[in-house]
Amino acid sequence: MKNFVSTDEAIKRWDAYAGTYSAVHNEQGDIHKEVFLNPTLLSLMGTLKYKKVLDAGCGEGYFSRILAKSDASVTAVDYSEKMLEIAKERTPIDLKIDYRHGNCEDLNFLEDNSFDLIVSNMVIQDLSNYEITFQEMYRLLVDGGYFIFSILHPCFVTPESGWEKTKDGEKLHWNVDKYFYEGVYEQRLGDKEKMLLFHRTLTSYVNNVIKAGFILEELIEPKPSEEMLRKYPSFEEDFRCADFIVFKLRKKS
């Protein structure tokens, strides 16, 4: 593992993986987004009608489309040009989404105080310079605007984590290791692809959003709802530890 690798390497891998990634996404994203993240993000957003919203790291665009269907004025950026091509192909012509190519570490083509709400869904862990990203999100929000972002839970998804199993495959408990390591590591997502993830401690995340000027309003560790458990009973095991964490931040008025 290396403590520092630039985001450029992550971009190359996401460009190469874009087709495989998008193939398992429908209009609710993948199954984990449907079960855990979408309900949490939408519950934190409130009314979206007429709001100017930035989808910061839109991927293949499923969440941008959800936002646009709620009558928000949506701008969507992603650092993978391949992802943006797929997002545009999947977006009906009547959904007015402004797709832009850009890295959330530097969105200088967008003006200060442009958005009422910014959402970043499973993106911050794919960026090398997350401190500057938080500063960019702060710059782009109107006073009193909200920044909501989801990430892999840094306390449980670490550079060396995973199930401890019996020889018969029974899951005994979830192992966590190297929590205090801060830097990049490889994580297999597909059959062959290894993506780069940038791990930080929970302390580092909280301190850096405060340093950027944000007020932390809410923190949620999503759990599967009863409705989702009826649909996907296997997610009962996700009450054993948290996979994700979601922050709701407000820019000072």
Side-chain angles (χ1 to χ4, degrees), residues 12 44 74 84 97 120 123 128 133 141 155 189 194 205 239 245:
K12 292 177 185 176
L44 291 173
V74 181
L84 285 174
I97 300 171
S120 187
V123 175
S128 175
T133 301
L141 281 171
C155 299
L189 292 187
K194 288 185 178 180
Y205 275 113
F239 285 99
I245 190 167

Side-chain angles (χ1 to χ4, degrees), residues 19-205:
T20 303
Y21 174 87
S22 300
V24 297
H25 278 64
N26 56 32
E27 289 309 293
Q28 290 296 314
D30 62 19
I31 190 170
H32 288 89
K33 294 184 177 78
E34 179 185 356
V35 172
F36 297 98
L37 296 171
N38 298 348
T40 303
L41 293 169
L42 292 170
S43 72
L44 291 173
M45 289 177 186
T47 302
L48 292 169
K49 193 170 185 178
Y50 304 133
K51 287 185 177 178
K52 293 182 179 179
V53 182
L54 174 65
D55 189 356
C58 64
E60 55 75 55
Y62 92 93
F63 205 71
S64 298
R65 295 188 288 276
I66 289 175
L67 295 169
K69 288 173 184 176
S70 298
D71 293 325
S73 174
V74 181
T75 301
V77 300
D78 202 89
Y79 63 22
S80 167
E81 293 189 90
K82 295 291 186 182
M83 284 288 194
L84 285 174
E85 289 174 11
I86 296 169
K88 291 174 182 177
E89 290 171 1
R90 291 186 172 189
T91 299
I93 194 167
D94 60 318
L95 287 183
K96 305 300 183 183
I97 300 171
D98 181 15
Y99 287 109
R100 308 284 292 274
H101 179 237
N103 182 345
C104 292
E105 296 167 334
D106 181 7
L107 298 175
N108 61 72
F109 54 87
L110 297 175
E111 294 183 1
D112 296 0
N113 311 309
S114 295
F115 299 99
D116 303 301
L117 170 69
I118 299 174
V119 59
S120 187
N121 189 15
M122 300 299 289
V123 175
I124 304 296
Q125 70 236 341
D126 299 325
L127 300 170
S128 175
N129 199 333
Y130 73 120
E131 300 100 326
I132 286 182
T133 301
F134 291 148
Q135 294 166 22
E136 274 290 85
M137 301 303 107
Y138 194 88
R139 176 183 71 80
L140 292 170
L141 281 171
V142 299
D143 290 348
Y146 288 96
F147 175 38
I148 299 170
F149 74 93
S150 62
I151 53 172
L152 292 167
H153 201 305
C155 299
F156 300 105
V157 184
T158 66
E160 292 185 16
S161 60
W163 286 108
E164 182 79 19
K165 299 179 182 179
T166 67
K167 61 182 180 182
D168 298 322
E170 179 187 355
K171 294 175 180 177
L172 298 174
H173 53 263
W174 182 263
N175 288 328
V176 172
D177 198 7
K178 299 192 183 302
Y179 171 70
F180 285 105
Y181 165 81
E182 297 212 357
V184 68
Y185 68 102
E186 290 187 321
Q187 177 68 48
R188 185 177 297 280
L189 292 187
D191 295 332
K192 298 178 180 178
E193 296 88 347
K194 288 185 178 180
M195 309 309 292
L196 295 180
L197 294 177
F198 296 88
H199 177 71
R200 298 104 188 182
T201 64
L202 186 58
T203 296
S204 292
Y205 275 113

Side-chain angles (χ1 to χ4, degrees), residues 227-251:
E227 177 187 358
M228 287 299 171
L229 283 176
R230 286 193 292 271
K231 187 175 182 180
Y232 304 111
S234 63
F235 280 103
E236 182 70 37
E237 70 178 27
D238 284 84
F239 285 99
R240 298 173 71 174
C241 69
D243 294 324
F244 308 100
I245 190 167
V246 182
F247 292 75
K248 181 177 182 179
L249 311 172
R250 178 168 58 84
K251 181 175 179 176

